[in-house]
Amino acid sequence: MAEAVDYKYIGTSPVRPDGVDKVTGRAQFAADQNMPNTLYGKILRSPHAHANIKSVDVSKALAMEGVYAAVSGADFPGGARGKVGGEGGGDIGDVARNIMARDKALYHGHAVAAVAATSLTIADAALAMIDVEYETLAPVLDVVAAMAADSPLLDATNFTKNLPETPDKPSNIASVTVLTRGNVDEGFEQADVTVEGEYHIPMAHQGYIEPHACTATVNEEGKATVWCSTQGHFEFRSMTSKILDWKVGDLKFIPAEIGGGFGGKTTVYLEPVAVLLSKLAGRPVKMMMSREEVFRATGPTSGSVCRVKVGAKKDGTITAAKAWLAYEAGAFAGAPIGPGAMAIFAPYVLENFHVEAHDVLVNKPKVAAYRAPGAPQSMHAMEIALDDIAREIGMDPLDLRLKNAASEGTRAPYGPKFPAIGFKECLEAAKAHPNYTAPVPEGAGRGVAAGFWFNIGMQSSAEVRINEDGTVIIMEGNPDIGGSRASMCLMAAETLGVDYERVKAYIGDTESTGFCNVTGGSRTTFATGMAVVQACEDIIAQCKARAAATWGVDEDQVEWEDGQAIPAPGVNADVTPMSLADVMASAHKTGGPLLGRASLNASGAGASFSVNFVDLMVDKETGKVDVLAFTAIQDAGTAIHPAYVEGQMQGGAAQGLGWALNEEYIYDADGVMENAGFLDYRVPVASDLPMIDCQIIEVPNPRHPYGVRGVGETPIVAPLAAAANAVRAATGVRINDLPLSPPNILAAIDSD
Amino acid sequence: MARIVFHDQLLPATNGEREIEVTVENYRDLLVVLEARWPGIGERLAKSAVAIDGQIYQDAFLEPIAANSEVFFMSRIEGG
């Protein structure tokens, strides 16, 4: 593989192609879709966290002037079965019951009915006319209490999966995952020091700025078109098809520009409801969530309790590690315990370990993916434990990690050996970084932590079309949530040998481009990028064939160089090189327009590692934390568009710090979220954070034509423990729980 | 022969066998062998990811398995 320095376009950071439209307001988001005669859909939500639904009567609402349709769970087919396609995001029957409750309301805010009316005011009034009879039940809100044998049950038909013996009683534990290697007891016997702790992290939301929104219209032939905010319109189409028992071919999904997703827009909430309402009303139906609805009813990430014990020798060698994880799934099974269990020890060489992870039902919203789902929670615990070990044996925390760092050939905790990875390179870069060699500011604390994410491949398609003037159009199917269009253009420009400015990338709807799995798992630049490269190679092959036909030589006597077909070395042909425009000029004679295409199920996504360190100050009178400096170092494989890679690293750091310092779902005893708005659920704002310093490490992924590793998820993992370790350094008090908010810090200081 | 390793959640389906050795040409053939040995295991394997010689596949099919290959079944990975 060529080194990055050899590339002409890859590794440059041109202005983002979507930037002007976004800053001028021209970009069309889902809520911007307006059609004549559009109705407004609204959802009635459960006022109880846990209740049997005895009856739902929408007749009074339907009788109101201006109300065109009203539905409840009984109006939806009941037979949705099977796995959600793509990333393994749970059971489609659960998704169906999550978007509209049937016999039970399982969290405060759970949808129980919906209306479509000529105005939002009438729709709100209609919701108030719907009669729902509830039988309230005790809410299950604490993940550990939910696991007790005598806990009230969310689902009396849930029997814990993956146990050695099939249980004879139902439980709130949906499943258990175990990973083990070596002999943990013997490993701890070899240790000179051991540390252990219990670490609590509350639910946190992805916090995307754009609330969920969609418009659906069903025509006279019963075919629907849906405009929506999504990370994966093909999978939204599939889910809607299964939930409504409609043919996939009768559903067309058009992705709008997206205002953030971070994993939270990989599943449907409104779309099947809007389609059903539109079908009943015979008019388009627009649905838009309020911020409060987003908090109460869309996927946060799991709250967690992690118990970790780690043993090490005085020289820093980790001899054993043990972890017990309990993740909140919310109302339906599907907490990310598998990735959490596989990630917790992944950065380290470890011969003896045991992880047991539990997916636990609680009366809270069903969790959805959030950047590196499952990894931040478990790795927060491990990275704090390592910090405590480093302190006990008097070792620099980076040296401790270097002593145990995984590298090529290390057997990952989940089985296979790592191919080329860049963890050691990240650690060494951190040690040499001027922000690390600089003294810690007076009164501040410095914390270090590592991050990891697997990254995935999956299915992607791409087409490359050449215009008459040789300009290039890329059509692919992954909503751009982090700069993928620019990266696609750069890879196409590099492959074809044409200027970046002559390449444009578009996101096609479900009927204008080939299938692509969701934009998630840090897969898009890797997998869809691979499809774009292959589609460009298809174009090159066609151009070489047409040049050969034009020149009267064999195809293998033609090469492609700097954006044009040329005779191969040694070929005696007095011809003029043919650019894309030249080939197109004679395309009518040589076979018609140039259209390249590729589809694949990508494998070989390279794991990504990071190292973060942060300097922060704690006001010991108020408990307020001021972040003074934050440094993010990450292996990107090859940074296709370095500014976007830095943007991912900075965004992940900001979200991770928000989760570490302030963000949390706060519930009252009845299971009602008390801070369902950005005033009380405090995400970081610009004035809260310093400039996030980034250093991109490039250890190319040998399984991608340009060495790409996914970069979007790893950045959120390390900030949680880095902040916790810095607070420990600044205050001398170890706080195992997040968030490190002023009241929590003050309480810890006071009780110390 | 290729080394095939099952994660803990699959052990009930393999009668507790964590590791076996087989000779097959590709992943499709491996599934045939495993289903013949433990009827019904295919449904569980379809919910797993698999790593073949260090490369993780969410949906393997015709990926070759060599005589010295290592095959690890593992939890599927989602992402945000």
Side-chain angles (χ1 to χ4, degrees):
Chain A
M1 176 182 299
E3 295 298 323
V5 292
D6 293 331
Y7 297 135
K8 186 172 181 182
Y9 301 103
I10 286 173
T12 64
S13 296
V15 172
R16 53 191 301 168
D18 54 330
V20 172
D21 279 353
K22 284 180 175 168
V23 299
T24 56
R26 276 197 298 269
Q28 291 289 300
F29 294 88
D32 294 326
Q33 177 65 27
N34 293 305
M35 303 175 72
N37 299 318
T38 294
L39 303 174
Y40 294 90
K42 293 282 287 183
I43 300 270
L44 180 68
R45 300 187 179 278
S46 170
H48 308 294
H50 196 188
N52 288 321
I53 299 173
K54 309 294 283 185
S55 64
V56 183
D57 183 356
V58 300
S59 58
K60 287 185 213 164
L62 262 179
M64 290 175 62
E65 187 173 347
V67 176
Y68 279 68
V71 298
S72 66
D75 298 294
F76 287 77
R81 291 283 183 276
K83 296 288 288 181
V84 172
E87 290 186 287
D91 180 88
I92 191 68
D94 288 344
V95 178
R97 289 187 294 138
N98 190 38
I99 65 157
M100 190 61 66
R102 311 298 159 94
D103 54 347
K104 240 185 160 189
L106 291 166
Y107 53 93
H108 179 261
H110 197 167
V112 295
V115 300
T118 50
S119 73
L120 287 169
T121 304
I122 295 174
D124 280 331
L127 293 183
M129 299 300 287
I130 296 174
D131 292 323
V132 185
E133 186 184 353
Y134 295 100
E135 177 189 29
T136 58
L137 303 167
V140 180
L141 301 172
D142 180 84
V143 66
V144 174
M147 298 169 71
D150 60 352
S151 169
L153 296 174
L154 275 75
D155 179 358
T157 68
N158 179 71
F159 292 82
T160 308
K161 293 185 175 69
N162 299 334
L163 292 176
E165 304 281 333
T166 303
D168 56 8
K169 290 183 180 174
S171 161
N172 288 323
I173 305 171
S175 67
V176 177
T177 285
V178 175
L179 274 181
T180 192
R181 182 188 299 161
N183 188 314
V184 174
D185 292 336
E186 286 182 9
F188 282 120
E189 284 173 13
Q190 295 165 19
D192 296 314
V193 294
T194 59
V195 299
E196 64 184 310
E198 179 171 304
Y199 309 85
H200 294 237
I201 300 180
M203 272 187 164
H205 199 272
Q206 294 84 348
Y208 31 80
I209 299 303
E210 180 204 20
H212 297 259
C214 72
T215 296
T217 181
V218 180
N219 69 14
E220 293 74 10
E221 296 173 300
K223 298 184 188 302
T225 302
V226 184
W227 293 261
C228 60
S229 180
T230 176
Q231 290 179 239
H233 44 302
F234 288 93
E235 280 154 351
F236 270 37
R237 179 182 64 170
S238 171
M239 285 186 249
T240 302
S241 159
K242 290 174 181 169
I243 289 169
L244 296 179
D245 196 19
W246 280 36
K247 294 175 185 170
V248 166
D250 287 344
L251 294 161
K252 176 180 179 179
F253 273 66
I254 303 173
E257 199 69 56
I258 183 169
F262 313 112
K265 290 178 180 169
T266 55
T267 190
V268 293
Y269 296 99
L270 299 174
E271 292 75 12
V273 182
V275 170
L276 186 56
L277 288 170
S278 176
K279 183 189 176 195
L280 294 170
R283 291 170 66 166
V285 174
K286 176 189 277 194
M287 302 187 77
M288 301 171 287
M289 284 195 191
S290 66
R291 178 61 55 188
E292 182 177 341
E293 288 180 291
V294 171
F295 274 116
R296 296 198 191 285
T298 71
T301 189
S302 297
S304 60
V305 175
C306 300
R307 298 168 186 155
V308 168
K309 179 179 178 182
V310 183
K313 294 181 178 176
K314 285 179 183 169
D315 69 357
T317 305
I318 303 172
T319 59
K322 194 173 181 180
W324 180 95
L325 316 177
Y327 282 15
E328 295 174 335
F332 299 96
I337 58 170
M342 293 192 292
I344 181 170
F345 303 135
Y348 305 109
V349 178
L350 202 46
E351 294 306 319
N352 305 298
F353 65 82
H354 182 86
V355 189
E356 183 176 320
H358 306 81
D359 177 10
V360 184
L361 303 176
V362 291
N363 289 118
K364 297 179 182 178
K366 164 72 175 76
V367 299
Y370 182 21
R371 275 184 145 158
Q377 294 95 326
S378 61
M379 293 185 72
H380 163 262
M382 177 61 177
E383 293 297 310
I384 286 179
L386 288 183
D387 196 65
D388 289 339
I389 283 180
R391 186 171 289 102
E392 282 210 29
I393 63 176
M395 196 170 189
D396 180 280
L398 288 175
D399 287 334
L400 174 65
R401 288 166 173 85
L402 267 169
K403 177 82 177 172
N404 297 281
S407 57
E408 183 172 0
T410 298
R411 190 170 294 287
Y414 43 91
K417 292 179 179 177
F418 282 121
I421 54 174
F423 185 41
K424 281 188 173 175
E425 288 80 354
C426 288
L427 288 163
E428 284 161 356
K431 274 206 79 174
H433 199 286
N435 289 358
Y436 197 74
T437 55
V440 180
E442 182 71 27
R446 177 172 294 166
V448 169
F452 161 83
W453 187 245
F454 310 86
N455 299 328
I456 57 176
M458 303 180 71
Q459 298 179 82
S460 285
S461 310
E463 294 126 44
V464 173
R465 305 164 187 170
I466 309 301
N467 293 324
E468 301 94 301
D469 62 355
T471 52
V472 180
I473 302 295
I474 298 167
M475 186 66 75
E476 44 99 353
N478 276 111
D480 180 356
I481 61 171
S484 57
R485 279 170 291 194
S487 295
M488 300 303 159
C489 292
L490 285 166
M491 286 185 277
E494 190 74 44
T495 307
L496 292 169
V498 301
D499 285 345
Y500 169 84
E501 289 74 16
R502 294 175 67 78
V503 186
K504 290 181 180 174
Y506 295 91
I507 315 302
D509 61 54
T510 53
E511 295 185 357
S512 61
T513 191
F515 181 91
C516 286
N517 280 124
V518 294
T519 298
S522 301
R523 62 174 292 279
T524 301
T525 302
F526 169 74
T528 306
M530 199 183 290
V532 168
V533 170
Q534 289 185 11
C536 289
E537 290 169 345
D538 186 13
I539 291 285
I540 291 170
Q542 293 176 46
C543 286
K544 289 165 69 176
R546 292 174 191 227
T550 303
W551 297 336
V553 300
D554 294 336
E555 286 182 30
D556 61 5
Q557 293 181 306
V558 179
E559 291 193 349
W560 187 262
E561 189 175 293
D562 287 335
Q564 53 188 5
I566 59 171
V571 175
N572 187 17
D574 184 15
V575 297
T576 304
M578 294 183 74
S579 66
L580 289 172
D582 295 330
V583 174
M584 282 301 294
S586 58
H588 60 292
K589 298 178 184 174
T590 59
L594 288 169
L595 171 64
R597 62 189 176 89
S599 63
L600 49 81
N601 189 353
S603 62
S608 169
F609 292 82
S610 69
V611 175
N612 292 178
F613 53 92
V614 57
D615 291 349
L616 55 76
M617 193 85 78
V618 178
D619 185 322
K620 291 173 184 167
E621 290 190 4
T622 66
K624 181 175 184 290
V625 172
D626 285 317
V627 180
L628 307 178
F630 192 98
T631 307
I633 299 168
Q634 184 177 329
D635 176 19
T638 299
I640 301 297
H641 187 296
Y644 265 130
V645 172
E646 289 186 359
Q648 291 285 347
M649 294 164 68
Q650 290 166 333
Q655 287 187 306
L657 283 171
W659 198 357
L661 299 179
N662 278 302
E663 295 180 38
E664 62 175 322
Y665 271 47
I666 299 171
Y667 283 94
D668 69 13
D670 295 323
V672 178
M673 185 187 182
E674 294 184 311
N675 57 333
F678 277 145
L679 191 61
D680 298 314
Y681 182 97
R682 197 172 185 291
V683 300
V685 296
S687 56
D688 289 325
L689 298 176
M691 184 66 184
I692 308 293
D693 287 323
C694 296
Q695 183 175 352
I696 301 170
I697 304 298
E698 293 189 298
V699 178
N701 173 12
R703 293 293 299 271
H704 185 276
Y706 291 118
V708 168
R709 297 178 195 275
V711 297
E713 297 177 278
T714 304
I716 201 173
V717 179
L720 283 65
N725 293 338
V727 168
R728 165 65 182 82
T731 64
V733 179
R734 169 59 76 194
I735 305 174
N736 285 350
D737 302 343
L738 297 184
L740 299 160
S741 57
N744 290 348
I745 286 182
L746 279 184
I749 291 173
D750 290 345
S751 64
D752 185 52
Chain B
M1 288 195 288
R3 178 177 174 233
I4 317 296
V5 183
F6 304 98
H7 58 70
D8 273 63
Q9 288 62 252
L10 290 171
L11 299 187
T14 64
N15 300 325
E17 283 193 71
R18 182 178 295 278
E19 190 171 326
I20 63 170
E21 291 188 336
V22 297
T23 300
V24 291
E25 289 193 355
N26 57 40
Y27 185 76
R28 180 191 61 189
D29 293 350
L30 173 63
L31 291 186
V32 172
V33 168
L34 297 179
E35 184 67 27
R37 187 163 179 164
W38 297 299
I41 195 173
E43 190 179 340
R44 288 186 176 223
L45 296 179
K47 297 173 183 171
S48 295
V50 64
I52 303 172
D53 297 329
Q55 294 301 330
I56 299 172
Y57 301 88
Q58 300 278 78
D59 302 289
F61 182 48
L62 288 175
E63 285 68 21
I65 296 176
N68 59 349
S69 285
E70 285 190 331
V71 179
F72 289 85
F73 288 96
M74 51 190 282
S75 296
R76 288 180 74 88
I77 297 161
E78 51 187 310

